[in-house]
């Protein structure tokens, strides 16, 4: 097939889909892809917060993974080792982050903690400065998780580069694993759920951005998109871990969806679902924003 410059052709279940800046066209019918989900995770590996709109700053979505629980050596804790983090529910309030969990009194920490106590923390291979949020928060998380730990915050001036193997050198990232954004389509989840004995909600995959209107796994073929004028570059498929097998409402762990995904989404020994992305501009995102494939 010969395509004009600026067009992309993809074979889908319904036939050939053509893409231009105007959207996807299937047999002459324009298919509009839109942003249908917008989530932040203020505390790394804790419960997410669904939003209708959000500012995008240098780190990504405002307040996304700017706090993190660390052990006594400064190493990050996540649901991989502490699935009870799924029960930690953060809320952004007026000047404070409020944290709740079963059997625990509410915890409040400032949105901009004093930088009086600085420390070094580690996220995978990255070591970066962080601000200790105090003994009260440390005792709260230590009691709930059953091991000695602390809560730390990433200050605005901290520069932690995203993975340079995939992202431009100027890209910053908060306490996320490697990249500011994770994008998944509703159609991809629907395709997975059709293969599972029991369907799973989108929160198992903890995306920042959920889109709808295209074919299953169409996000795998995207390189650049604009959402509400915000430019994003999709840089790497997301390899999935045992966190996806953790019920985000109860903290219990099973075997799905990794067992099913491994049958058809494994690449080089890794199970892939969703796409990591970096932003090339700041701005604001809103539910319902059109997604333009560039």
């Amino acid at each position: 097939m010969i395509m004009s410059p600026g067009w992309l052709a993809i074979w889908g279940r319904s036939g050939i889909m053509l893409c231009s800046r105007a959207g996807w066209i299937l047999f002459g019918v324009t298919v509009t892809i839109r942003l249908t989900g917008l989530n932040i995770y203020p505390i790394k590996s804790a419960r997410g917060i669904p939003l209708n709109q959000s500012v995008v700053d240098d780190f990504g979505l405002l307040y996304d993974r700017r706090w993190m629980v660390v052990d006594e050596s400064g190493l990050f804790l996540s649901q991989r080792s502490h699935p009870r983090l799924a029960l930690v529910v953060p809320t952004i309030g007026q000047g404070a982050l409020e944290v709740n969990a079963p059997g625990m009194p509410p915890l409040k920490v400032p949105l901009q903690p004093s930088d009086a106590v600085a420390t070094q923390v580690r996220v995978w291979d990255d070591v970066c400065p962080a601000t200790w949020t105090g003994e009260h928060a440390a005792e709260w998380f230590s009691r709930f998780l059953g091991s000695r730990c602390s809560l730390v915050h990433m200050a605005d001036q901290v520069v932690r580069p995203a993975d340079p193997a995939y992202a431009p050198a100027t890209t910053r990232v908060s306490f996320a694993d490697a990249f500011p954004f994770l994008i998944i389509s509703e159609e991809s989840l629907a395709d997975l759920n059709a293969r599972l004995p029991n369907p799973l909600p989108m929160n198992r995959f903890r995306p920042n951005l959920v889109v709808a209107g295209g074919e299953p796994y169409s996000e795998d073929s995207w390189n650049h998109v604009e959402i509400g004028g915000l430019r994003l570059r999709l840089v790497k498929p997301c390899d999935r871990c045992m966190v996806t097998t953790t019920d985000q409402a109860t903290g219990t762990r099973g075997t799905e969806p990794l067992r099913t995904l491994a049958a058809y989404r494994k690449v080089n020994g890794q199970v892939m679902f969703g796409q990591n992305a970096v932003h090339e501009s700041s701005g604001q995102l809103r539910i319902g924003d059109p997604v333009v494939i560039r």
Side-chain angles (χ1 to χ4, degrees):
M1 177 180 292
I2 298 175
M3 299 301 302
S4 299
W7 288 82
L8 172 68
I10 292 179
W11 286 94
R13 290 182 174 181
S14 304
I16 299 176
M17 297 184 70
L18 307 181
C19 175
S20 73
R21 289 183 59 87
W24 293 89
I25 298 177
L26 174 62
F27 298 124
V29 178
T30 299
V31 180
T32 301
I33 301 175
R34 294 195 179 276
L35 183 67
T36 58
L38 186 59
N39 305 287
I40 61 171
Y41 306 88
I43 302 174
K44 182 179 179 67
S45 232
R47 189 79 55 86
I49 303 175
L51 301 173
N52 290 320
Q53 61 182 27
S54 176
V55 169
V56 177
D57 61 14
D58 283 351
F59 290 103
L61 295 174
L62 186 64
Y63 301 124
D64 186 46
R65 286 164 290 198
R66 295 292 294 276
W67 289 265
M68 181 172 69
V69 183
V70 298
D71 67 13
E72 292 183 289
S73 71
L75 177 65
F76 80 100
L77 301 184
S78 76
Q79 289 184 37
R80 297 170 180 87
S81 58
H82 293 75
R84 278 172 63 80
L85 276 168
L87 307 181
V88 174
V89 182
T91 305
I92 302 294
Q94 289 294 326
L97 175 74
E98 182 171 316
V99 189
N100 289 276
M104 300 293 292
L107 169 69
K108 285 189 177 182
V109 295
L111 289 180
Q112 293 293 335
S114 167
D115 58 0
V117 183
T119 185
Q120 294 287 313
V121 298
R122 182 155 62 92
V123 185
W124 299 114
D125 294 330
D126 293 343
V127 175
C128 62
T131 301
W132 186 59
T133 62
E135 187 61 33
H136 181 56
E139 290 291 343
W140 192 98
F141 277 95
S142 297
R143 175 182 164 191
F144 184 69
L145 296 179
S147 61
R148 189 63 188 167
C149 55
S150 294
L151 182 70
V152 298
H153 175 260
M154 181 176 284
D156 292 343
Q157 65 269 22
V158 173
V159 177
R160 178 190 170 214
D163 189 338
Y166 300 94
T170 56
T171 304
R172 300 168 70 187
V173 64
S174 58
F175 289 132
D177 279 352
F179 303 101
F181 293 92
L182 174 62
I183 301 176
I184 301 176
S185 71
E186 291 185 16
E187 290 78 14
S188 298
L189 178 61
D191 181 85
L192 169 61
N193 278 335
R195 305 166 189 260
L196 291 173
N198 298 296
L200 297 175
M202 184 65 84
N203 66 11
R204 283 292 187 97
F205 302 96
R206 302 174 62 81
N208 298 108
L209 308 178
V210 180
V211 300
E215 290 280 299
Y217 312 109
S218 59
E219 61 268 28
D220 291 350
S221 65
W222 300 347
N223 291 316
H224 292 79
V225 300
E226 285 187 13
I227 307 177
L230 182 78
R231 297 188 301 276
L232 295 161
R233 179 189 300 184
L234 283 69
V235 294
K236 180 183 179 295
C238 185
D239 52 293
R240 310 315 305 229
C241 67
M242 67 179 66
V243 173
T244 62
T245 68
T246 306
D247 188 319
Q248 296 299 295
T250 65
T252 58
R253 186 164 283 165
T255 59
E256 294 292 6
L258 286 183
R259 182 167 60 180
T260 295
L261 282 170
Y264 75 109
R265 294 286 298 177
K266 184 175 281 190
V267 179
N268 296 328
Q270 299 289 333
V271 173
M272 304 296 186
F273 192 81
Q275 292 287 323
N276 290 299
V278 301
H279 53 310
E280 298 179 333
S281 62
S282 58
Q284 189 160 0
L285 294 174
R286 298 176 178 83
I287 295 296
D289 279 343
V291 178
V292 180
I293 315 303
R294 298 178 61 212

